[in-house]
Amino acid sequence: MTDSNKPEGERIAKLLARAGVASRREVERMIADGRIALNGEKLTTPATILQHLRGVTVDGKPVGKADRTRLYRFHKPSGLLTAERDPKGRPTIYTALRNALPQDAPRLMPVGRLDLNTEGLLLLTNDGELKRAMELPSSGVPRTYRARTFGDITQGQLESLIEGVTVDGVNYGRIDANLERRTGRNQWIELTLTEGKNREVRRVLEHLGLKVSRLLRTAYGPFVLGDLPRGAADELKKHEVERFISELKKGSR
């Protein structure tokens, strides 16, 4: 396609993701559910090309101007769902975030998920494009966990995970795992991976014959949990976020 034939503007899903409405995939679902309209007319396809978001509404509310990309840390406690709402009425991360974030915080989306009983670092952003880029395995963003386990394991067995492993027909990629300390048959294990498949750490460790009693994410990319108190949240500095986005873009070339 020549430059003269290229459509002017971008797909609405990409624009809305950049504006912090939702990820592109979620925007596509919202369009299918009839929640997004342009000048009062419900949109039927995410392939709609626009130059701007004027006239676009979500659930009847106008879409505001896109804020700069912002990234927050949240120390997720165990027992919270990484979801906006739960049909069973269980508490979600947003229940805790209402008290942890300032009143003027933007609408935030979690970068990846943590299971109900997994705690630790959960990053949140207002930028759907950044969310998607950080979650893609092809981006190679490392996530580090510490797991308290019970059972017999050797460092040699853990090192075999560097080649990847298949559990119940699911292939898991490279995992860098190290035995931290042991007391009897209880031990802490640190694991770093880049895929982040559903319940990956628990399933891999259970495959090795271990019982996981506690799982904590300590880092996501260059961002670490550090001494952030449980249930607390804070915003990462603008220059840290911009530097990370720059490195992420370099890696995707």
Side-chain angles (χ1 to χ4, degrees), residues 72-123:
Y72 291 74
R73 296 186 307 164
F74 174 52
H75 187 157
K76 175 190 173 297
S78 177
L80 295 181
L81 287 175
T82 307
E84 286 198 39
R85 60 187 64 85
D86 178 52
K88 297 180 180 178
R90 292 173 294 182
T92 74
I93 58 170
Y94 292 96
T95 308
L97 285 170
R98 278 196 290 270
N99 298 321
L101 291 171
Q103 291 275 335
D104 60 351
R107 180 187 183 278
L108 297 172
M109 299 165 278
V111 178
R113 291 177 176 270
L114 289 178
D115 297 335
L116 177 69
N117 294 318
T118 301
E119 55 192 294
L121 179 64
L122 183 64
L123 296 178

Side-chain angles (χ1 to χ4, degrees), residues 166-177:
T166 300
V167 180
D168 296 331
V170 178
N171 297 319
Y172 298 102
R174 172 191 177 101
I175 300 175
D176 184 4

Side-chain angles (χ1 to χ4, degrees), residues 19-84:
V21 171
S23 68
R24 276 194 273 180
R25 186 175 299 177
E26 289 167 339
V27 168
E28 290 173 359
R29 285 197 288 265
M30 293 166 75
I31 290 173
D33 292 339
R35 296 175 58 192
I36 298 176
L38 175 62
N39 297 324
E41 295 290 329
K42 288 183 179 180
L43 294 179
T44 59
T45 172
T48 303
I49 304 295
L50 298 175
Q51 291 181 300
H52 48 71
L53 291 172
R54 286 196 297 275
V56 175
T57 58
V58 177
D59 296 330
K61 298 178 181 178
V63 178
K65 184 179 178 181
D67 190 6
R68 68 173 175 85
T69 296
R70 299 168 74 175
L71 194 62
Y72 291 74
R73 296 186 307 164
F74 174 52
H75 187 157
K76 175 190 173 297
S78 177
L80 295 181
L81 287 175
T82 307
E84 286 198 39

Side-chain angles (χ1 to χ4, degrees), residues 142-149 153 157-159 161-162 165 173-180 187-194 199-206 208 210 212 214-220:
R143 308 106 195 258
T144 299
Y145 296 80
R146 292 183 69 236
R148 185 173 64 195
T149 64
I153 192 73
Q157 287 175 288
L158 293 174
E159 289 176 359
L161 297 176
I162 206 72
V165 63
R174 172 191 177 101
I175 300 175
D176 184 4
N178 293 284
L179 196 60
E180 283 193 335
Q187 56 271 316
W188 280 95
I189 299 171
E190 184 179 73
L191 307 95
T192 299
L193 49 101
T194 58
R199 297 180 61 81
E200 179 170 352
V201 173
R202 293 182 185 274
R203 286 175 174 166
V204 168
L205 292 178
E206 287 168 1
L208 294 177
L210 299 173
V212 179
R214 188 180 177 195
L215 184 58
L216 175 80
R217 183 155 68 196
T218 58
Y220 199 122

